Amino acid sequence: MNMIDYLKWRGDLSFDIDKFNYVDNLLCSYIAYTDLRSIVNFDNKPVTLKQAAEQFFLKHDEKQVRNNRSFISMSPLVLREMAQTKRFQDAKLSYYINDIDKQTTIQFSALRIDLTNNLSYISYCGTDDTLIGWKEDFQLSYKETNAQNKAVKFLQNVTPAFRRYYVGGHSKGGNLAIYAATNCNKATKKRIIQVFNNDGPGLSEELYDAEKFEEIKERIIRIVPQFSIFGQLFAQDCQQYIVKSAQNSIMQHDATSWQVLGNDFVYCDKLDDTSLQIKKGFDHFFQNVNFQQREIFTDELFKAFDDAGIKNVSDLYNEGLPALIKVVKEIAGINDQAREVLYDMIKILIDAYNAKIGKTGRETTQKLKGMLNDAYEEIDKMVEKTKNMHQKKEVRNK
């Protein structure tokens, strides 16, 4: 049972009968991924959630939506399911903004969802399928991003005094929610009930105001799947809940895979061991490089993706293992510490790809196993090659 099943089971209950819960939070954060341009505008009158869903599917074909293979592909379908329930159909959507600019590396989208006459959810969109958004995720490690600054202004501009607010997002949207709630003015901060970070990065410890964070800390809820990478980056000490997922490995980042029972999630006691290992690798890397090195690493990494012909995250899955091997070759020149972490990440992506299509026939599975072995061998060769290059360079410098 996932959040869509929850809608079918609990959707007939209003918020007066059954109060807002953690699953409602995930639904509100997830629909921010839906492209609502020309449907919900920043300056115009609010649109009911039911009207927004109807207008979206007048403009878009359901088959096209279902063919999208990204983490966020189901968001319009979730929006439509919500529109068919008494619980959400009359919720009002307003102040929608969608700002993407490759030149300034910004991907910012958000909206306000009025659940009742005095209760709203400020929903920040997470990373979309473009590498622009993912690059901005990495920029969180060395600077305050354009999206973070926009998130603060958005929160302060769309929150009138007579309402109380939940603030949240999935993936990078969770980071924006925490950043905005931490840095907004005191009047806005007082009206925030809770802040939800659904498997998104926290705040880099060198880049946030600890005193301001303490003012909101007790209201922050971090919800992550058992295999969590994004949700463990720069994770502050706050309430964390670990949920079960129907997916494997990195695909657990897909919010529609999170398991629900009744009006709550199905919880786990601890994170997956591999997830913890990757977290340690990233923690070690960020502790041992300065802001300038992080920036150089980020630029090099996304140049490598670009040179490998990877424009969108879904390209990694649509093009399969050959695309991943191209990336392996392109990142060979990145410094040792970063490369070690990235190779571990790519191995996870390879395993995730194999798991995704591993239910095919025996012959195809054997072929995939051969490609997997080739990919791992390619990684090992590139590691050895770059080690030798660095050793020769050190000898020359002496």
Side-chain angles (χ1 to χ4, degrees), residues 68-177:
N68 185 335
R69 298 184 182 183
S70 72
F71 283 120
I72 62 177
S73 61
M74 291 290 288
S75 57
L77 301 177
V78 171
L79 178 73
R80 187 172 65 181
E81 288 290 341
M82 292 171 72
Q84 295 172 4
T85 68
K86 178 180 179 180
R87 191 169 182 81
F88 286 105
Q89 64 183 6
D90 293 326
K92 293 181 174 60
L93 311 184
S94 59
Y95 297 106
Y96 178 71
I97 183 172
N98 189 331
D99 188 357
I100 299 177
D101 188 340
K102 186 174 182 180
Q103 296 301 316
T104 57
T105 316
I106 184 170
Q107 178 253 322
F108 176 76
S109 184
L111 77 157
R112 191 178 93 186
I113 306 170
D114 295 341
L115 301 169
T116 68
N117 290 333
N118 58 7
L119 181 66
S120 299
Y121 188 102
I122 306 301
S123 183
Y124 290 104
C125 182
T127 306
D128 63 8
D129 198 39
T130 65
L131 287 179
I132 298 170
W134 287 73
K135 184 176 182 180
E136 197 173 29
D137 277 355
F138 278 79
Q139 289 178 336
L140 296 172
S141 70
Y142 60 86
K143 71 175 185 178
E144 294 177 335
T145 66
N146 292 326
Q148 286 178 324
N149 292 326
K150 281 181 173 287
V152 177
K153 293 177 182 177
F154 183 86
L155 183 61
Q156 293 178 163
N157 289 339
V158 305
T159 50
F162 62 87
R163 287 184 166 275
R164 298 189 70 206
Y165 301 91
Y166 292 103
V167 182
H170 174 261
S171 193
K172 186 188 73 178
N175 171 274
L176 297 181

